[in-house]
Amino acid sequence: MMMMRSVFSLLVLLLSGHVVLGNKYDHDTGSNCKEKAEKEYCTKDPHTYFECPITCAEYKKPQHETWGAHEAKESPFYNYAFKDINGKTIRFDNYDGEIVIVALIPMYPGLAQFHYELLNHVLDVYKYVVDVIVLPMEGQDGIMIEPKAGSRVKILEGVADGSHRLPVYLTRLIQEGKFDPTVLNSFIISPSADHITMHIQPDMRTYRKFIDHNLKEMEEL
C-alpha cells in the first residue's frame, strides 16, 4: 500500500509540471506594462495582454473566495447539463475525482484569446489531472475565441436564456458585488467536489498554486 502511494506521489509530481517555468505566461515580456494597464490597454489593445499578462491581471486586483460544500452544491455547475460549441452535452457529475476549471471569459481584444491560450497551457502542464471548461461572456462585438486544433479546452455555448440557472446565479453574484462580468472569473472545483474557489483575473501563478493544492487532495482520495 505504501509503495502504491509512493508511486502515485511521484506520478502527481511528474504531472504537476513544476519543471515548466519561464514561459510567456509566467511573466511580462513587453515594456511600459503598468502605464498600459492604467490606460486600460489590457481590454482595448489585442497585443497588450499577451505582452503584459501579469501586470494586466494584477491591475484588476486578483483575489479568490472559497465556497464550502453546501455552497458548491448550490452552484449552477452541479446537477445541470450544458452544451459545448460542437453540440456535445457536458455534465459536471462526470468529472468527479478530477480538478475542473470553469473560466468565464469576457470577449475583449487580446484578453479573450490570451486566457484561452493560457488555459491550454495549463492543460499542457497538468496533463490528465485537470479539465477546463470555458464560457464566453459578453464583451466587444465581433470578438470571438479562435479554437486550437486538438485543444482539450471545452467551450460552452453562450447562455442567453434568463431561465438558465447559470445567468440567474451570476446575476445574484453581481448584485452582491462578488462578480464582475467585465473581467476573467475562474472557478476551480476540487476533485471531491466539496469546495470551489472563485478567482478574479487569475494568472499562471494562481492556477499553479491552487491546482497544486488540489493535487494533494487527489493523492489522499
Side-chain angles (χ1 to χ4, degrees):
M1 185 68 175
M2 286 293 294
M3 181 177 293
M4 290 182 64
R5 287 184 62 84
S6 297
V7 171
F8 183 83
S9 299
L10 177 60
L11 180 62
V12 166
L13 180 62
L14 291 173
L15 296 177
S16 65
H18 288 290
V19 296
V20 182
L21 299 172
N23 60 76
K24 64 180 180 180
Y25 302 101
D26 289 313
H27 63 280
D28 293 337
T29 60
S31 59
N32 303 317
C33 288
K34 183 177 180 181
E35 180 182 350
K36 291 176 181 177
E38 291 174 347
K39 293 181 178 180
E40 300 186 356
Y41 283 11
C42 295
T43 55
K44 296 177 181 178
D45 177 19
H47 304 292
T48 300
Y49 225 108
F50 284 89
E51 297 174 348
C52 307
I54 303 302
T55 299
C56 283
E58 291 178 345
Y59 184 69
K60 290 293 186 178
K61 299 180 181 179
Q63 54 188 290
H64 74 272
E65 178 177 343
T66 302
W67 302 339
H70 175 71
E71 290 178 290
K73 289 297 182 182
E74 291 298 318
S75 79
F77 304 124
Y78 292 92
N79 304 315
Y80 208 92
F82 296 83
K83 292 281 188 182
D84 68 12
I85 57 175
N86 297 314
K88 182 179 179 181
T89 299
I90 295 175
R91 295 193 65 89
F92 285 84
D93 300 350
N94 297 334
Y95 297 109
D96 286 348
E98 300 177 40
I99 301 168
V100 181
I101 298 174
V102 183
L104 281 60
I105 305 179
M107 296 293 101
Y108 288 111
L111 182 153
Q113 193 66 28
F114 173 83
H115 280 297
Y116 171 73
E117 295 188 14
L118 168 60
L119 291 167
N120 275 281
H121 175 68
V122 169
L123 289 179
D124 288 339
V125 173
Y126 293 92
K127 291 182 172 66
Y128 315 118
V129 294
V130 175
D131 279 287
V132 174
I133 298 171
V134 165
L135 176 62
M137 304 293 289
E138 289 187 7
Q140 183 174 317
D141 290 345
I143 301 300
M144 298 176 63
I145 291 174
E146 298 179 12
K148 293 175 58 177
S151 172
R152 291 173 46 227
V153 173
K154 302 170 183 67
I155 304 176
L156 299 181
E157 291 181 332
V159 179
D161 183 0
S163 64
H164 194 292
R165 284 186 63 193
L166 185 54
V168 171
Y169 179 74
L170 295 178
T171 298
R172 179 167 64 82
L173 289 184
I174 293 172
Q175 293 171 344
E176 294 174 355
K178 296 180 179 179
F179 180 78
D180 181 353
T182 66
V183 300
L184 173 75
N185 293 267
S186 278
F187 300 82
I188 300 180
I189 304 174
S190 69
S192 58
D194 64 353
H195 65 271
I196 297 176
T197 52
M198 176 182 175
H199 305 267
I200 301 173
Q201 291 293 103
D203 55 29
M204 186 62 197
R205 298 171 301 180
T206 303
Y207 283 124
R208 181 177 284 117
K209 175 182 177 180
F210 284 88
I211 290 173
D212 287 349
H213 174 78
N214 280 288
L215 283 173
K216 293 180 181 178
E217 179 179 316
M218 290 180 72
E219 184 180 352
E220 296 170 357
L221 288 177

